[in-house]
Structure formats: structure tokens, C-alpha cells
């Protein structure tokens, strides 16, 4: 670009030169934001302020976004570095994300890979990663999708590490160290470490992306995947199909979101009860008591194995012709509990407010949605309390859990809202906004008869 | 007391009058601290400052302590209200108690009993209850010990509600409402609500006690106990004996302390892992996989019950003469898991760092201390990590848990130190103070041979 030439080059030609230069570089000179970037980006800044940035080519647009989001830019232009954050739709009053900015940038216990950053710490932080622009970070995870561009010179990878349902877009240039190892190995499910620089994303889908392009950037393939052989695709899979690949299904969006929300609700449960002075009690699972008299229990025994080991055909019998349980492990019939209630009530009558949170079992062959064979159940027991105290506790607990999930797992809930149950988030917001209605048993019966048209 | 009489009465006579007056009253006039208390207690204050307070009779000493601990006292004497707090041995830098002063005085979900205060909120708060002196509170709980005094006119009750191993001493005067209902019913284990005023305790054992003495104080008996019939006494009981009264053993100091520490360690576990970005995963307990190949598994079946219901003598057999598991609940042999590791590893390879915390089972008939038939186990899985990361995590986790228990359960640990294992607290303090030693497998083997005298 010769300025002051007899006939100055057209702007579009200058932009072409710039685009070509930036195609394999994060900044104009070297590995960091310099005066060169500040100076040139100021000249081009009016493109952005006039809303013309979308007309700039890809690399130039990304570079300009990265520059104007940089803290140093405000020193030059006298403006705050707000545009990037504002553009991402984040605000200071955003609810606490699971990986708030207070979270260290480098995750603990990741020295093995030279220190990795949780992907949520970037894309799910309140500013959607804007404050990290220009920094070099390493992320590890599994490929959700990968596609080539520029005749194989660039690889676009959506990487996920489970810390958020959202992926980080990684742009890997063929000049980056380790690029060649990805050839034919970077299908969905491949395990990678990507070290690159956080830059403003030219696309509207995400605020930032990771650019692996320079000599000091690198990609490491931990485990390659041949896309043709991999049983999980980008498309929707049925729950039944996912059950047939139980070892891989946690990698589906569905199970991932369920796992994150379930973990959050378990945490909320413990926080809620402990903050109110309830003691957590582990009640026995193997029991001789049929707590609720339901009778649908699984038996726990070592007698069948003993019988099979000895090559016998029948279980030991007593003189009365009945099964001789003195030969069983516990010397009497033993079952899996259908409820921890009986045990935890003993604790309640000694230590006042307590709760259990553990697995429970029902051998119901009905295959209805009523009870799974195995499920986790929360059973609080309140001492010196009546039904009103109990209802207050139940309402507070439900609202605490919903609020916790809304604050910490909004991205997961948004995914459920979009893919599984439209209107979910609005329904949860309504649950938080309104006090619960309370009716007597008689009123409830009356309402039901009305709905059934029997009144 | 006529002041200015020709021959002024001896001080001891005046004290006698005061003692008789205060024997059935918390304050000199009415139900609250008045100018009368402030004025007279200032006159007697020099007894306290000169260390002569121990020579005062019981009620007077308690009243004087209550007055001088009162905030208003400093207005009159110009001194701070520190003595009570200082006397109790508490300091501002005391570790966070589970029921810190931030905890509301009236516990949630206790409207049924007119609002109760957790006993820990009083006796285990950093100032040991000093700031509550003069306030009326209600406590509910179970009698640890009760003894009569003054020919049955006063009942001293040690009450516990499980929120702390320490009891609150309740002094119930025969003039208090409900006193008569306690006759013969207030043995160890009786369930009570006591409404009275927090006063300075004249004894050295506790900083404050609860005085149930006035017309607006009351005691309510929820469940009486005839001391002769009750299987738990103040004395030490063996673990074997406690096992034979499983429904009552949570009321023993031993099981109470274990329950509180166990609940705290569970909470610490969840806090530790969640704050470091680990997801909590519930892995299946009923499984067809023998995770560690140990083989010592419990079988889960409904076949024996089916056989017994049908009056048959043997389990269903297939054409090959072997047990026909297609007739069992899961249509194949099913067992209780010996480890959640296999399942949680699948989650780790999809969502990175995860952990399980749940029950595990071993059908080992050896009755060694190695494995219980049923126990809870924590299994973290780290992604993108090596053995050094793993060791860092293990050391951090152990220290976090011990620190948590030391901060929140110091009273329980002190009880263990005194009753079960001398030197426990010092050993835990040492664990927190020193970095863990790390040796190779070879070095560990060498050390062991040295200890065994084989080198």
C-alpha cells in the first residue's frame, strides 16, 4: 500500500492485501496487539461504527473485532471496550454462571496438558469470553463437528469438554503445529488439545473463537476418530438408540444436559437442607424391612451363586421344606430398600431435622412411568413441625432448586426448551414468581371431579 | 433493705433477701432488664470485678452475670459488654460454627411449636450465647439428663436437639407453666419444648443457660419417658449394645457425633468437587458387570420370591439344566455394583472431570475391616490429567474435608478426641499443616521392607 502515490489504490485493493496478510496471523506484527494494530484498526473503525463491518472479508473482520475489543483500543480511541461485551448480549446483571470470571483461567489438575481452560470459562462466562480476547489459552475436549475450508488449508472444529452445552469454535490453520496429524482422524468424537488465541468471532453465532494459526499455537491429537466408524452423528438420535451405545451416550447433547442439570440439582439439594440446619443421613440399602409394605422388593442373596458353584440344582432347604436362609449371606432374607424413611425417622427423633438422598429400588414389573427399578430419592424429616411447616419446606425447596438451575444451567435449560419441551423456561419462571396454591384434600377431590365432569 | 437505718443491715442479710427475690425471677422487676437491674447490679459489680462473684449465692450470681452481660450495662458503667464473651473463652477469630450468628434465631419450619431456636444457635455460636442473654427463646429436644433440686421445686434438665453435641442446661422452676406434667415423665429421652430466658450460667460448665421460671415461660411435654424403662443411660454403652437398639442409637453421643461429621464430610465433598468444575454423576447400582473382577458380588433377583409364592421347590431351569434367567426380573443375572468406576469413566470421556459418591457393595464373608457389605465410596475421574494431577487432587480433597470438619464440627472432633482417640485433633492439625510426602512405588516397597527388618 503506497500512500501518496499519484493514483492511490482503491480501498478494496488495500483490504485484499490486509485480508491476505491476516489470513495466517492473529495480529499485524508478531504474537500480540501492537501499535500497528491500534493505529490501523482506528482507521478502519468507522467501518464498524457505521455497521459496514459485515462487508469486510473474514480474516479482516475477525482481526478488527479482536482489536476493538482489546482493552488497549480505548487508550487510542478514548472509547470504552464495551462494544464486544454489549454485542454478545451479556450484561453485568447476568446470573452467576457455573464458571464465572472468578474461576481461574487455567483449570486445576491439568498440568499434564500444560494447563487447560474449561470451555465454559470462555464461552459461558458473563461476557462470553470478550475479556479474554488476545490471550493464548489451551482447551481440551471432544470434536462435535469438523469441516474443512480453503481446500483443506483450514479446519473448523466445534470442540466440547462437557463444562457447557455450548462448543467453542476452533479455527485450525494448516501452518499450526500438529495440523497434519488430524488428517482423516478429526471426526466427531476425536479428542484434542488446541492451543491458540481467543479472537472476536466474525460470525454471529458466538462472541469469540479460538484461532490456532501461529508458530507458537498447536493442536495435539489424543485420540483420533474415523468419522465413518463413529456411531454418534450430529443428527438427532432416539433415546432407545442411545441406550444401545451406553458408553458413548454421555457425549450426546441430551445426556450431557441431563447430567449437568442433575448434578446442579443434587448440589442445590445439599445446599438447601444444610443451610437450614438439616443433617444428611445415609440410610441402609440392604434391609430386612419392607418400609412401605409395598412388597415389590428385589431380593439380595449369595445363595444362587453358591448353588451354581457347587453344581447343585436347588437352594438349601430346612426341615420344614422351606428355603434355609441360614445358608444365605445375612442368615435371613434380605432385600433392597424401597424407602429410607423408616431409618431416617430414627435419626429425626434424635437429631431433629434430617434428610436422606440416595438410591431406592422397586421390583415393579409394570413398566409404567410410576417407578423405575432404581432411582434416587430425597426424603426430608422435620422434627417439631406440622403439615404447614412441611408445605413451607417443600415449596422453598422446589423453588430453591429451580432457581439454582436457572442461575447455573440456563444454557442447558435453553437447550431443553428448544429441543425437548417448548415453553419450559417460561414455566419455570412462573413457578418462581407465584406462591404455590394450597388446597385441602376435600377441595382437591372436588376440583378433580369437576375436571372429570362428574360434578 | 432500709438504707440509712441506725444500724445498717449486714451485707450478707441484704444478699439473702436479694437471693430469695431472684430465686423465682429473671430480673428484679417484670420480664426485662430495667433501671432497677442496672442500678443494683452496678452496686454489686465490684464483687464481680474483684473476683468475689463466686461467693454470691446461686440466683444472685446468675442475675448479676446476666445484667453485666447485658448491652445496656455498658451505658451505665461505661464498660463494654465484653466480660461475658471473654469469660466463655470465645474470640472473634473463632472458626465458623455450623450455626453462626448469621443464622436466624428462630429456625425455619417450626411454626408448629411457635418457633424454636436450634440449641447450637445458642451454645455453639462464637460468643457461646452471650449476645442472647435476656432474650426469651424456645428450644425443643430430648432430655439427656434431668435431676431435681430444692426438694423437687426446681428441675435441672440437659436438653439436646442434635444440632450440636453440647446440651443446653434448662432450669425449670415449679412455678413455670407445664411443670407438673413432667412428674415422673422427664427421664432421659423425654421430648420437651422449653420456653424461657437466656441467662448467664452461674456454673463454669457453660456460658449461658435457659431459665424457665416466670408466668410467661412454659414447658411442654411432647413425649414422656419413664427413666426405669429407657434403654439408654448416661453411661457409656458398647457399640454392640447400641446395635441392638438401632432405633434409639442416634440418640447416643457416639452416633450423634458420627452423623454430624459424616454429613459435614459429604457436604465438603460436594463443595470441593463442584467448586473445581467436577460433575456429580449417579452411576447404576444394579448391574450385570463385575467392575473390578473381584467376583464377590450380591445377586439381585425376584426368582426366589416367585418360587416361594408358587410353592415350588426349585428355581426355573433351562433345557441345558442351568438356571433359566429369562424368568428373572432383568431376564439375565443381575448384581449389586462393586464400583461405579466403569460407568463414571464413560462420563469422564464425554464431560471431562466427574465424580461419583454413592453406595457400593461387597459380598465378602471374611468379616475383616477391609470392606463392609455396604459402604459409600467417592470415585473422581480426571480427564486430560496424569498421576501428578491426580495426587494434587487427592491431597487437596483430603485437606479440604479435614479443614471443613475442623471449622464446622470442632465440638464433635473434641468429643472424639476425649472419648475415642486421644490426640485426634492434633493429628488432623498436623495433616493440614504439612504437604503430603510423595514416594515412588519402589521407594514405598523399600521403606516397608526396612520397617519389617528385611533390609
Amino acid at each position: 500500500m503506497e500512500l501518496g502515490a499519484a493514483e492511490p489504490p482503491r480501498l478494496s485493493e488495500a483490504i485484499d492485501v490486509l485480508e491476505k496478510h491476516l489470513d495466517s496471523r492473529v495480529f499485524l506484527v508478531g504474537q500480540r496487539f501492537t501499535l500497528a494494530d491500534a493505529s490501523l484498526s482506528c482507521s478502519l473503525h468507522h467501518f464498524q461504527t457505521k455497521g459496514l463491518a459485515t462487508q469486510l472479508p473474514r480474516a479482516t473482520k475477525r482481526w478488527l473485532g479482536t482489536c476493538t475489543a482489546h482493552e488497549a483500543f480505548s487508550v487510542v480511541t478514548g472509547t470504552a471496550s464495551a462494544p464486544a461485551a454489549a454485542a454478545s448480549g451479556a450484561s453485568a446483571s447476568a446470573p452467576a454462571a457455573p464458571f464465572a470470571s472468578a474461576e481461574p483461567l487455567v483449570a486445576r489438575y491439568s498440568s499434564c496438558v500444560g494447563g487447560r481452560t474449561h470451555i465454559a470459562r470462555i464461552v459461558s462466562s458473563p461476557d462470553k469470553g470478550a475479556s479474554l480476547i488476545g490471550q493464548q489459552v489451551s482447551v481440551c475436549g471432544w470434536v462435535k463437528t469438523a469441516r474443512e475450508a480453503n481446500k483443506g488449508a483450514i479446519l473448523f472444529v466445534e470442540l466440547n469438554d462437557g463444562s457447557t452445552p455450548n462448543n467453542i469454535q476452533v479455527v485450525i490453520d494448516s501452518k499450526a503445529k500438529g495440523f497434519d496429524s488430524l488428517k482423516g482422524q478429526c471426526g466427531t468424537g476425536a479428542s484434542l488439545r488446541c492451543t491458540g488465541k481467543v479472537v472476536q468471532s466474525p460470525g454471529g453465532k458466538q462472541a469469540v473463537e479460538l484461532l490456532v494459526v501461529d508458530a507458537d499455537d498447536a493442536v495435539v491429537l489424543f485420540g483420533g476418530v474415523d468419522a465413518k466408524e463413529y456411531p454418534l452423528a450430529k443428527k438427532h438420535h432416539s433415546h432407545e438408540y442411545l441406550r444401545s451405545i451406553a458408553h458413548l451416550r454421555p457425549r450426546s447433547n441430551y445426556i450431557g444436559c441431563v447430567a449437568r442439570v442433575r448434578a446442579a440439582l443434587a448440589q442445590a439439594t445439599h445446599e438447601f437442607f444444610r443451610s437450614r440446619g438439616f443433617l444428611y443421613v445415609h440410610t441402609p440399602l440392604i434391609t430386612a424391612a419392607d418400609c412401605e409394605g409395598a412388597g415389590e422388593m428385589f431380593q439380595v442373596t449369595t445363595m444362587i451363586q453358591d448353588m451354581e458353584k457347587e453344581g447343585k440344582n436347588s437352594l438349601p432347604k430346612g426341615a420344614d421344606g422351606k428355603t434355609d436362609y441360614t445358608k444365605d449371606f445375612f442368615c435371613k432374607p434380605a432385600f433392597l430398600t424401597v424407602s429410607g424413611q423408616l431409618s431416617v425417622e430414627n435419626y429425626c427423633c434424635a437429631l431433629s431435622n434430617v434428610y436422606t438422598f440416595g438410591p431406592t429400588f422397586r421390583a415393579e414389573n409394570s413398566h409404567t412411568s410410576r417407578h423405575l427399578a432404581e432411582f434416587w430419592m430425597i426424603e426430608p424429616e422435620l422434627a417439631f413441625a406440622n403439615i404447614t411447616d412441611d408445605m413451607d419446606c417443600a415449596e422453598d425447596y422446589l423453588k430453591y432448586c429451580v432457581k439454582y438451575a436457572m442461575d447455573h444451567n440456563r444454557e442447558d435449560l435453553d437447550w431443553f426448551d428448544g429441543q425437548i419441551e417448548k415453553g419450559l423456561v417460561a414455566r419455570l419462571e412462573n413457578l418462581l414468581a407465584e406462591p404455590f396454591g394450597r388446597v385441602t384434600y376435600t377441595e382437591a377431590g372436588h376440583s378433580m371431579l369437576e375436571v372429570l365432569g362428574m360434578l
Side-chain angles (χ1 to χ4, degrees), chain A:
Chain A
M1 243 188 317
E2 290 177 58
L3 296 177
E7 188 166 339
R10 295 172 54 88
L11 181 62
S12 67
E13 284 169 29
I15 296 287
D16 284 348
V17 173
L18 188 60
E19 177 70 11
K20 205 173 163 201
H21 182 77
L22 288 171
D23 189 42
S24 62
R25 287 180 184 84
V26 179
F27 298 108
L28 287 176
V29 183
Q31 309 300 342
R32 57 181 63 205
F33 183 82
T34 62
L35 195 58
D37 299 290
S39 153
L40 188 55
S41 61
C42 283
S43 309
L44 286 174
H45 183 45
H46 69 275
F47 274 91
Q48 203 175 43
T49 54
K50 294 259 186 313
L52 301 171
T54 50
Q55 294 173 24
L56 291 172
R58 196 189 155 278
T60 305
K61 193 163 67 171
R62 185 263 308 149
W63 165 82
L64 185 59
T66 298
C67 291
T68 54
H70 200 285
E71 200 188 350
F73 189 81
S74 60
V75 177
V76 178
T77 64
T79 63
S81 63
S88 74
S91 74
S93 68
F99 292 85
S101 323
E103 181 80 9
L105 187 59
V106 174
R108 291 181 184 84
Y109 320 129
S110 64
S111 71
C112 166
V113 289
R116 71 180 172 108
T117 297
H118 288 296
I119 290 172
R121 174 65 179 79
I122 305 169
V123 303
S124 302
S125 61
D127 68 357
K128 307 289 179 200
S131 59
L132 298 176
I133 282 175
Q135 288 203 46
Q136 190 184 55
V137 301
S138 289
V139 294
C140 292
W142 297 270
V143 173
K144 282 281 183 178
T145 59
R147 65 180 172 82
E148 292 183 348
N150 274 19
K151 294 175 188 162
I154 292 182
L155 196 62
F156 287 89
V157 170
E158 295 277 327
L159 201 71
N160 189 282
D161 65 2
S163 59
T164 158
N166 296 327
N167 311 318
I168 189 163
Q169 172 156 293
V170 186
V171 185
I172 309 171
D173 191 276
S174 58
K175 290 191 234 28
K177 217 185 301 170
F179 181 87
D180 293 339
S181 67
L182 304 181
K183 203 79 195 165
Q185 291 292 313
C186 199
T188 300
S191 174
L192 300 183
R193 188 195 77 188
C194 301
T195 304
K197 280 177 207 73
V198 179
V199 298
Q200 169 126 345
S201 182
K205 253 185 73 186
Q206 58 270 318
V208 300
E209 61 187 36
L210 192 69
L211 207 56
V212 183
V213 63
D214 290 323
D216 65 342
D217 295 335
V219 60
V220 177
L221 180 77
F222 295 127
V225 165
D226 180 349
K228 290 188 296 293
E229 305 287 334
Y230 196 69
L232 269 176
K234 199 193 161 100
K235 74 184 183 85
H236 174 79
H237 294 291
S238 74
H239 297 176
E240 280 308 324
Y241 174 72
L242 289 176
R243 266 187 203 111
S244 71
I245 48 163
H247 62 302
L248 286 175
R249 68 174 181 169
R251 294 189 180 188
S252 67
N253 289 332
Y254 176 69
I255 298 290
C257 287
V258 167
R260 276 183 298 271
V261 172
R262 188 179 173 115
L265 293 179
Q267 183 71 20
T269 297
H270 290 301
E271 277 185 18
F272 174 84
F273 285 115
R274 186 163 177 89
S275 67
R276 281 150 182 80
F278 285 64
L279 275 188
Y280 179 32
V281 177
H282 291 146
T283 51
L285 299 191
I286 300 178
T287 178
D290 181 359
C291 174
E292 300 191 343
E296 304 282 15
M297 301 175 84
F298 288 106
Q299 191 163 0
V300 175
T301 182
T302 52
M303 281 198 301
I304 301 180
Q305 296 165 89
D306 290 345
M307 179 192 84
E308 290 172 347
K309 256 181 235 159
E310 295 169 15
K312 289 191 180 156
N313 266 314
S314 59
L315 298 175
K317 296 272 175 289
D320 57 357
K322 289 186 179 163
T323 315
D324 179 10
Y325 281 105
T326 64
K327 301 286 192 297
D328 205 353
F329 188 89
F330 296 105
C331 300
K332 59 176 149 183
F335 302 91
L336 288 178
T337 188
V338 294
S339 166
Q341 197 178 343
L342 198 63
S343 295
V344 83
E345 280 169 351
N346 296 332
Y347 279 82
C348 183
C349 290
L351 306 169
S352 47
N353 294 356
V354 293
Y355 70 106
T356 69
F357 182 20
T360 309
F361 307 87
R362 301 284 161 94
E364 290 171 8
N365 237 325
S366 54
H367 293 297
T368 65
S369 58
R370 201 152 62 101
H371 287 126
L372 293 168
E374 174 181 336
F375 58 98
W376 282 63
M377 181 155 68
I378 295 143
E379 293 178 278
E381 291 289 334
L382 285 71
F384 310 112
N386 57 14
I387 194 173
T388 305
D389 295 322
D390 199 11
M391 287 190 291
D392 288 346
C393 180
E395 179 170 346
D396 285 355
Y397 169 63
L398 268 174
K399 288 186 170 173
Y400 189 94
C401 286
V402 169
K403 173 114 179 41
Y404 193 95
M406 291 283 272
D407 286 350
H408 295 82
N409 293 73
R410 184 55 187 267
E411 294 168 313
D412 297 305
L413 296 177
D414 283 343
W415 188 88
F416 286 126
D417 197 313
Q419 304 291 324
I420 307 289
E421 185 184 332
K422 298 273 178 222
L424 171 69
V425 168
R427 206 151 62 81
L428 294 177
E429 275 166 353
N430 183 52
L431 183 147
L432 292 178
E434 300 289 336
F436 286 15
R438 296 186 185 190
V439 295
T440 64
Y441 188 82
T442 310
E443 287 164 350
H446 191 85
S447 298
M448 200 174 306
L449 292 175
E450 260 183 350
V451 169
L452 294 171
M454 294 169 76
L455 273 187

